[in-house]
Amino acid sequence: MNILVTNDDGIHAAGIRALAEAMKEIGTVTVVAPDRERSAVGHSLTLHSPLRVFELRKGWYAIDGTPTDCVNMGIHSLLPVAPDLVVSGINHGANLGDDVTYSGTVAAAMEANLMGIPAIAFSLATFQPSNNFTDAAQVAVQVARQVIAHSLPDDTFLNVNIPDFPLDRIKPPLITRQGKRSFIGTIVDKTDPRGRKYFWVGSEEPQHHDEQGTDFHAINRRHVSITPLHLDLTNHKTLPILAEWTF
Ligand code: MN
């Protein structure tokens, strides 16, 4: 089993170290990750500048690109054979509800899914400093073993959020749907030392609607949340409604 490990927090983050170490239980691990933090870059691809690869140590490649670049480079250039599984994370911070569309962690799994490779994004649900990445990595191994045993349905990858608690206080995984974020004012404007205005986006932790069956509801109750995602953003319910428009 060949496993490609990536993230969006950068190759030096605690989460990717814990994940890569734990995945050794399952197979041969190659790490291909951004050389610095690239959180919230979404599914962006570097098209207008070259990419450089730095082999930090055997099987650990840092790239000056996005998580999507890393998955591309890993699969098409750095790994001798296509990986059997791509895992992304463990992100420092939840990726719940609508936030998945911003997430570089989730986009990396999405990119692997586009290439037909089973993929899982993992996030630790806290924005505070945490000592629980190693425990969360054990959860990641359990989920990865299920994916290997059952394989994933076509056109499906997993978004897994793990509560920020020691292993013995984490409740079993629930299969969830993507919840809804509640939007609050998140732009802060201040003045820099030279008297010019600057703006800072996303200053508060995102809040979500606490609806039963959602990723947020599960995490809020200390369950691991596993949401199957796919790339088709079509709002299928509305097709008959829009079909009535006359042009
Ligand atoms: Mn991140």
Side-chain angles (χ1 to χ4, degrees), residues 7-10 37-40 90-93 95 103-105 123 127:
N7 75 347
D8 78 355
D9 292 340
E37 172 152 11
R38 294 291 190 137
S39 291
I90 298 168
N91 189 59
H92 195 168
N95 276 304
S103 171
T105 308
S123 302
F127 290 93

Side-chain angles (χ1 to χ4, degrees), residues 68-168:
T68 297
D69 293 328
C70 291
V71 171
N72 261 301
M73 288 286 295
I75 291 171
H76 296 307
S77 171
L78 296 170
L79 271 72
V81 290
D84 304 293
L85 178 69
V86 172
V87 292
S88 178
I90 298 168
N91 189 59
H92 195 168
N95 276 304
L96 300 166
D98 305 308
D99 288 340
V100 301
T101 60
Y102 301 111
S103 171
T105 308
V106 173
M110 195 185 281
E111 184 69 4
N113 176 239
L114 274 175
M115 295 175 188
I117 296 166
I120 318 167
F122 294 104
S123 302
L124 186 66
T126 182
F127 290 93
Q128 306 303 318
S130 176
N131 295 318
N132 291 322
F133 283 106
T134 311
D135 286 25
Q138 288 310 307
V139 175
V141 167
Q142 291 169 17
V143 176
R145 285 194 196 282
Q146 293 293 316
V147 167
I148 292 161
H150 299 283
S151 76
L152 287 170
D154 280 348
D155 182 34
T156 304
F157 62 102
L158 300 182
N159 180 34
V160 177
N161 283 273
I162 302 162
D164 179 33
F165 287 96
L167 203 52
D168 59 359

